[in-house]
Amino acid sequence: MLTDTIVEGCLSDELRKQILQKDRSVEEIEEIGKSLEGVQKQLRDFGRMHDESKHGQVYGIQAKRRYPPLKPRVVENRAGVFQTKFKHPDAKCFKCGLFGHISTDTRCPARGKICNRCKKIGHFEARCRMQGKYPLLSKEESTGAKKIRIVERVAEQDSQVVQESNAIEADIPSMSLTPKTYYAFYSGNESNMVSCVIGGVPHQLLVDSGAEANLITEVAWEKLKRAGIEVISCVRGSDRILKSYANNIPLTVLGTFKATVTVGAKSVEAEFFVIKGGQRCLLGDATSKQLNILKIGLEIDRVLQKSEPFSKIKDVSVHIHLDPNAKPIFQPMRRVPVALEEAVNSKLKELIVKDIIEEKKGPVTWVSPLVVVGKANGEPRICLDLRRVNEAILRERHPMPVIDDFLARIGPNMFRSKLDVKDSFLQLELDEGSRDAMVFLTTRGLYRFKRMPFGLVSAPEVFQKTMDAILAGCEGAWWYIDDVYIEGKDKEEHDERLTKVNYTVNRNC
């Protein structure tokens, strides 16, 4: 991606040709660029030496290309009369200024060319009709949108130019006369835009980690002034020199100002350069780091959430009735796949912290194997194979609702909501006498459930009995195990009933 950006944004055709001929690394591209830049500099030096010589220069003379006159063609006019039209061979084409053809001729050299004055395609600058509207631009100024920027500071001392490579805010002179160049690439990527508040006025800036200065376009500066921006100081012009990449003509700096920049809860004082004809407002490297927008390093901010015991229904202790004549069974451990061992061990630690399971100490009676079931999000679910234990359980036989009961109660044109109790069975705590029947074996030893586990044959009816006791006084609410349905004839009645159910459930948890 970086190589494609360089190929698209560089101004050297020779460098682009070298990159496209062979796959090269960024380091090789940088070396080739330095070599080509040195060669171009030497050629410019030779040109200046040649200008200063006494021999002068010799200019080549090339004859203008002339096209043969067009052949006559027969056309039909509006009246239906056929007539012959000619184009005089001495007439000039109004798009290129040459003789012997018309502007629609495919041989016109101006076809596909960009005018240096108005930037439109299809004619030369000499034949441009916008000469009064668009001032003539130099070759360096008419290279189009500046996709790569460089910021340099120049000071004159004893007729020598010392270029500093530090940030603009620093006043430390460079120790070497060889300038160090910092590049800021911009290839149309709008994903790095950030909303800032500059002097009390909101504005969008592009975060550029390669720019050492904060740049504001002339248009954006006028908008900020109209919006009432508050500045700390404002100076017309600047002694700094800002250049675009591969261009020796400095950017026009209209002035600088200092203002308070705020992003979120962070505020800093920063200096901005107002650029005439700028393309994008940039937030430089130094200011971005001060605002904590741009961070360098491998550190990642982490928010540690304190683990708390899982919620449980108050004043409810479930007792599992076992047949006294049933003989306890010790079942062997089922091996967990090696790929899941780390995830299972981490899940066991989490269940201990949430007060759902605990280590079993002392003698055991019932021992069930551990079963690992995958969730939709990829996490393991800890379950037990309680088939042998279920054979010895004496069920309470609490009546369970059926679907016909709900269909008979549902009315037409009603407002409805559905609530789901999270990990419903685990919100019921087992008493001390029932926990020994919920022991399971792992590679780390014996554990037992302190809450009612999934897979217990009497768990649905026990939870349904508990919900019947909690929501008995809630009108317009029906429930099936952990799903609660609330309805009302209008929104006000529905919201009132929903608030009552929510209050009742939270009061008992």
Side-chain angles (χ1 to χ4, degrees), residues 195-439:
S195 298
C196 303
V197 178
I198 307 175
V201 180
H203 194 69
Q204 293 282 335
L205 296 177
L206 177 67
V207 179
D208 192 344
S209 60
E212 294 187 4
N214 305 313
L215 306 183
I216 294 291
T217 63
E218 182 182 7
V219 177
W221 171 240
E222 294 297 333
K223 292 182 179 179
L224 292 175
K225 288 193 298 182
R226 289 194 297 267
I229 182 175
E230 298 179 359
V231 298
I232 301 174
S233 63
C234 184
V235 180
R236 184 180 298 274
S238 177
D239 59 347
R240 322 284 174 82
I241 294 181
L242 281 70
K243 295 182 180 180
S244 60
Y245 179 78
N247 197 338
N248 291 327
I249 298 180
L251 301 176
T252 304
V253 181
L254 300 178
T256 62
F257 68 92
K258 291 184 178 181
T260 301
V261 186
T262 303
V263 176
K266 187 72 173 179
S267 299
V268 298
E269 179 182 327
E271 182 181 19
F272 290 86
F273 292 81
V274 181
I275 305 300
K276 182 179 181 180
Q279 179 188 8
R280 184 69 64 190
C281 297
L282 299 182
L283 189 65
D285 176 75
T287 307
S288 299
K289 291 178 179 178
Q290 293 175 3
L291 292 170
N292 294 331
I293 300 174
L294 184 64
K295 296 183 179 180
I296 305 299
L298 301 178
E299 297 181 358
I300 301 176
D301 294 335
R302 297 180 180 179
V303 178
L304 299 178
Q305 183 178 3
K306 184 179 180 181
S307 298
E308 297 180 355
F310 189 70
S311 63
K312 60 182 179 180
I313 299 177
K314 298 178 182 179
D315 303 328
V316 176
S317 182
V318 178
H319 178 73
I320 305 299
H321 299 276
L322 296 175
D323 186 359
N325 298 324
K327 182 180 179 180
I329 298 177
F330 179 91
Q331 300 185 63
M333 181 183 65
R334 295 181 184 177
R335 296 291 177 180
V336 178
V338 178
L340 296 178
E341 284 185 357
E342 184 178 354
V344 171
N345 294 334
S346 177
K347 191 66 176 180
L348 292 175
K349 293 180 181 179
E350 179 184 349
L351 294 178
I352 293 176
V353 173
K354 290 184 176 181
D355 196 38
I356 296 177
I357 65 174
E358 62 182 357
E359 294 185 13
K360 170 59 180 174
K361 299 180 180 179
V364 296
T365 53
W366 296 89
V367 176
S368 302
L370 178 68
V371 179
V372 180
V373 180
K375 294 183 180 181
N377 57 1
E379 295 182 359
R381 183 192 296 274
I382 304 298
C383 302
L384 301 182
D385 186 359
L386 297 174
R387 287 179 292 181
R388 292 302 183 93
V389 178
N390 290 333
E391 294 174 357
I393 290 179
L394 301 176
R395 299 176 59 180
E396 300 182 12
R397 301 299 178 182
H398 183 78
M400 301 291 291
V402 294
I403 188 62
D404 294 337
D405 297 337
F406 292 103
L407 293 178
R409 295 176 181 178
I410 293 177
N413 302 325
M414 305 288 282
F415 286 81
R416 301 181 182 89
S417 295
K418 175 187 174 183
L419 305 179
D420 182 45
V421 182
K422 180 180 180 181
D423 294 337
S424 55
F425 295 168
L426 297 180
Q427 298 202 26
L428 293 179
E429 188 175 18
L430 298 175
D431 60 5
E432 188 65 30
S434 303
R435 297 179 183 180
D436 284 344
M438 304 296 126
V439 178

Side-chain angles (χ1 to χ4, degrees), residues 417-421 467 471 477-486 501 505:
S417 295
K418 175 187 174 183
L419 305 179
D420 182 45
V421 182
M467 293 295 292
L471 300 177
W478 299 278
W479 52 93
Y480 179 75
I481 309 179
D482 60 343
D483 293 328
V484 184
Y485 299 87
I486 302 100
V501 171
V505 173

Side-chain angles (χ1 to χ4, degrees), residues 45-108:
D45 294 340
F46 287 142
R48 287 195 294 267
M49 294 173 58
H50 201 31
D51 292 340
E52 296 174 358
S53 63
K54 298 180 180 180
H55 300 286
Q57 296 181 357
V58 177
Y59 296 91
I61 300 176
Q62 183 178 4
K64 290 185 178 180
R65 183 179 179 182
R66 299 181 63 88
Y67 293 93
L70 296 179
K71 296 181 180 180
R73 54 193 179 96
V74 179
V75 297
E76 183 181 1
N77 58 15
R78 295 182 179 179
V81 180
F82 290 91
Q83 59 182 6
T84 303
K85 287 190 175 182
F86 294 88
K87 186 67 178 179
H88 195 277
D90 294 333
K92 288 185 179 181
C93 172
F94 68 86
K95 288 190 175 181
C96 67
L98 300 180
F99 296 91
H101 66 276
I102 60 177
S103 60
T104 58
D105 197 328
T106 57
R107 300 173 298 174
C108 179

